[in-house]
Amino acid sequence: KAGVTQTPRYLIKTRGQQVTLSCSPISGHRSVSWYQQTPGQGLQFLFEYFSETQRNKGNFPGRFSGRQFSNSRSEMNVSTLELGDSALYLCASGRTSGAGETQYFGPGTRLLVL
Amino acid sequence: AQKITQTQPGMFVQEKEAVTLDCTYDTSDPSYGLFWYKQPSSGEMIFLIYQGSYDQQNATEGRYSLNFQKARKSANLVISASQLGDSAMYFCAMHGNNRKLIWGLGTSLAVNP
C-alpha cells in the first residue's frame, strides 16, 4: 500500500509570494492533517480535513488555508509569504477523524522563504 | 491546556543496549491517546507506538515498549537492543478529545557503535 505522498519535496520562494503544497493520503484514508515544523517552535498543528470539511484548526493566521477534494487529496496554501514561514510542512492521514487514531505522515515539503 | 514535555534534548546509547526516552503530559480530558514517532534526518515522521488512556497494559511493538504510568502522567518510550538505525529524533505526542496532536520538542538519540 502506498504511503502518504507530498509534493513538491523542496521549494524556494521569496517574501510576498504565495505557495501551494499538495498531499495525497493513504488509499482509504479520509482524514488529512497539516503540521508546521520549525527548529524554534517544534511541531504545530495547522488544520485537519475530513470528507472535504475542515474539522479542526490551529492558531495560525488567515494567510494559511487549506482544502480537501472528493478523492481525499488535500492542498495547503500560504499567501504573502514571510521569512518565518520557512519550515518543514508535514501532512498526515488517518482512516477516521477520531481521537486516538494513528496518523501516518508523508515525507514533508521543505519550504525556504528568502 | 494540553501539554507534552520531553526533558531530554539529547541522549546517547551504546549499540545493543536499552534506552528510555522520557515523556510527561498534562491534560484534563478523561480520554486521550499517547504516541511516539521517530523522525530520521530525512524528515519523515514514522509512527512507532500508541497507548490509549484506558488501556490496562503497556503497549509493545517489537523492540519498542511504552512505560505508561497514568497517575504520574508519564509515557516513556523504551527501546531495547538499540541499533545504529535508531539514531534519530523521537517525538512524544498526545491526542485528546479535540483530535489535535500536541507534540513535545523531541529527544535526539545517538546510537554509538
Side-chain angles (χ1 to χ4, degrees):
Chain A
K1 204 176 201 181
V4 178
T5 58
Q6 290 187 247
T7 56
R9 293 292 311 278
Y10 303 92
L11 207 49
I12 300 176
K13 291 283 187 180
T14 55
R15 278 183 300 174
Q17 287 187 309
Q18 72 147 22
V19 67
T20 299
L21 312 181
S22 180
C23 171
S24 292
I26 292 171
S27 178
H29 285 193
R30 294 165 64 191
S31 164
V32 173
S33 297
W34 288 89
Y35 297 87
Q36 181 196 66
Q37 186 178 24
T38 59
Q41 299 292 323
L43 276 143
Q44 293 187 288
F45 172 79
L46 279 156
F47 25 66
E48 178 200 13
Y49 287 87
F50 181 78
S51 293
E52 302 178 66
T53 302
Q54 189 180 85
R55 295 294 294 269
N56 234 328
K57 190 175 186 307
N59 298 322
F60 277 81
R63 300 185 297 107
F64 292 81
S65 63
R67 57 178 176 168
Q68 187 181 32
F69 302 95
S70 58
N71 61 358
S72 293
R73 189 177 70 85
S74 177
E75 286 182 348
M76 191 193 99
N77 186 75
V78 188
S79 62
T80 320
L81 283 166
E82 300 177 1
L83 296 179
D85 296 334
S86 295
L88 176 66
Y89 289 88
L90 291 163
C91 163
S93 80
R95 278 190 302 273
T96 69
S97 186
E101 185 203 46
T102 299
Q103 295 186 6
Y104 296 91
F105 285 78
T109 295
R110 291 190 186 273
L111 171 65
L112 177 61
V113 182
L114 301 175
Chain B
Q2 296 179 328
K3 187 177 179 182
I4 292 282
T5 302
Q6 293 180 255
T7 57
Q8 307 153 313
M11 290 280 286
F12 293 91
V13 65
Q14 212 56 34
E15 193 179 6
K16 298 181 185 176
E17 291 185 350
V19 63
T20 298
L21 306 183
D22 294 342
C23 172
T24 58
Y25 62 92
D26 191 21
T27 182
S28 55
D29 289 340
S31 176
Y32 51 89
L34 294 154
F35 301 81
W36 277 92
Y37 284 86
K38 170 185 177 182
Q39 188 178 40
S41 56
S42 59
E44 184 170 354
M45 201 66 76
I46 301 167
F47 166 72
L48 294 178
I49 197 166
Y50 165 79
Q51 179 85 40
S53 57
Y54 291 117
D55 293 342
Q56 295 296 318
Q57 292 189 317
N58 287 343
T60 60
E61 290 284 351
R63 294 186 299 110
Y64 304 107
S65 61
L66 200 152
N67 183 2
F68 181 47
Q69 297 187 44
K70 197 170 183 178
R72 297 178 63 181
K73 293 192 174 180
S74 75
N76 298 338
L77 177 70
V78 180
I79 305 175
S80 63
S82 297
Q83 301 172 356
L84 295 179
D86 294 335
S87 295
M89 283 292 291
Y90 288 81
F91 291 93
C92 180
M94 177 171 62
H95 199 306
N97 288 338
N98 62 11
R99 303 186 303 275
K100 296 180 187 180
L101 265 182
I102 306 298
W103 298 80
L105 293 179
T107 296
S108 176
L109 177 66
V111 180
N112 298 323

